Amino acid sequence: MIAALLFASLPFASMGARAQEIEPRAYSNAPVGVNFFIAGAVRTEGGLSFDAVPITDARIETTSAVFAYARTLDLWGKSGKFDVIVPYTHLQGTALYQGDPIERDVTGFGRGAFRMSINLHGAPALSLEEFRDWKQDVIVGVSLQVSPPWAQYDEGRAVNIGSNRWSFKPEIGVSKAMGPWTFEAQAAVVFFTDNDEFFNGNTRSQDPLYSLQGHAIYGFSNGTWLSVDGTWFAGGRSQVNGVLNNDLQQNWRVGATIALPIDRANSIKFSASSGVSARTGNNFDAIGVAWQHRW
């Protein structure tokens, strides 16, 4: 059971999907001093949107290898976690740019991220021995995720894996355990810096992107857990050289996640999500698998 509880929640999203990730158990508790290494793969297919507006009719496929490291921390007596995630992506597909067909086939690093989180209420910093007897009630946590502009980017191309800018994502999350069920809700906003090398020397800016997500998680007696997930995100309207684009986002996604403990040190997680409705882009399907080792 402890092996299942220790499955670190890291977002296995790629490129433009990063702001719309679905991530159950982001604010679960774990013993202090535990390390996690995670290796996974994510595939997306469909109408991904990119910074190079006005792209339409996108038929883009991506396949990403994702590597992550996380460590649980004692932050002033409260449980916390630091994690880093690095994707490496192959992108291929077609789209229309201002009515003209374009094609792209490129491989490179995707947008990595660093995150620090702390559980402010309901999840004290515990040793492994103390954690064995701990029972969750209500957890309230916050986090800050930072994504640097270190991904593949070519200002002369309309479609890239990266976006040549920083992003900052503060978030608050609440988790409530009720018997074998855990119910979670998260609210976040993503702030973007300007891309001053946008497509042939232009400058692109973007308004904040707001998001809500919820999860209903059921824990089985053998340590397996299953989550049904949903997320809504809105905002993010962009400007190019001060001219507003018609790309306000108001989108919904749903998904499911299942985590299977192999032994005390290893677990496997499978996830899938799909767009339900999308005002602009991001109506894509995604599937992922991840292996985790802890020590």
Side-chain angles (χ1 to χ4, degrees):
M1 180 63 177
I2 290 180
L5 289 172
L6 293 182
F7 199 111
S9 280
L10 293 176
F12 290 95
S14 63
M15 330 135 28
R18 173 60 51 78
Q20 297 89 46
E21 64 209 15
I22 298 179
E23 185 184 3
R25 297 178 59 85
Y27 298 97
S28 59
N29 199 6
V32 171
V34 178
N35 299 281
F36 302 89
F37 173 75
I38 300 173
V42 178
R43 180 171 176 80
T44 69
E45 182 175 338
L48 286 170
S49 68
F50 297 87
D51 284 353
V53 290
I55 278 183
T56 58
D57 198 28
R59 298 290 183 268
I60 304 292
E61 298 178 357
T62 72
T63 303
S64 300
V66 184
F67 303 95
Y69 168 77
R71 180 176 174 84
T72 56
L73 306 169
D74 182 341
L75 299 175
W76 307 283
K78 304 180 185 299
S79 62
K81 183 175 63 181
F82 170 78
D83 56 66
V84 56
I85 181 169
V86 179
Y88 191 78
T89 298
H90 175 234
L91 177 153
Q92 63 178 352
T94 61
L96 297 178
Y97 179 75
Q98 295 182 332
D100 297 324
I102 58 173
E103 186 174 352
R104 190 75 158 116
D105 191 331
V106 63
T107 301
F109 283 101
R111 293 182 58 214
F114 304 90
R115 181 174 58 179
M116 179 68 73
S117 60
I118 180 172
N119 292 319
L120 299 175
H121 172 78
L126 301 171
S127 67
L128 182 58
E129 291 74 20
E130 293 171 327
F131 185 78
R132 295 179 188 276
D133 298 322
W134 176 80
K135 300 296 183 182
Q136 179 183 336
D137 184 16
V138 176
I139 295 176
V140 180
V142 294
S143 66
L144 176 64
Q145 179 177 286
V146 179
S147 293
W150 299 342
Q152 177 279 330
Y153 186 77
D154 180 352
E155 68 169 304
R157 302 300 298 264
V159 174
N160 288 284
I161 295 172
S163 54
N164 192 45
R165 62 182 179 179
W166 290 83
S167 68
F168 304 88
K169 181 184 179 183
E171 182 178 80
I172 183 170
V174 178
S175 176
K176 168 65 176 176
M178 300 177 64
W181 289 93
T182 303
F183 299 95
E184 298 179 342
Q186 294 150 251
V189 56
V190 185
F191 300 96
F192 307 94
T193 62
D194 292 350
N195 176 6
D196 57 5
E197 295 181 353
F198 170 70
F199 198 43
N200 297 328
N202 296 295
T203 297
R204 182 180 189 272
S205 59
Q206 186 170 3
D207 292 340
L209 184 63
Y210 302 91
S211 67
L212 298 172
Q213 59 179 293
H215 315 278
I217 304 164
Y218 187 85
F220 296 88
S221 59
N222 66 351
T224 298
W225 58 264
L226 172 67
S227 177
V228 177
D229 317 302
T231 184
W232 168 85
F233 45 97
R237 190 175 183 183
S238 68
Q239 301 180 37
V240 176
N241 298 330
V243 179
L244 282 171
N245 293 303
N246 184 26
D247 58 355
L248 179 70
Q249 299 187 48
Q250 293 177 338
N251 303 344
W252 284 92
R253 294 184 60 77
V254 296
T257 308
I258 185 169
L260 307 170
I262 299 173
D263 53 34
R264 293 179 61 86
N266 298 281
S267 300
I268 295 179
K269 181 167 71 174
F270 300 91
S271 62
S273 65
S274 181
V276 176
S277 65
R279 183 182 184 275
T280 54
N282 293 298
N283 194 11
F284 62 93
D285 300 319
I287 57 172
V289 60
W291 162 73
Q292 172 191 276
H293 175 73
R294 71 175 181 91
W295 68 98

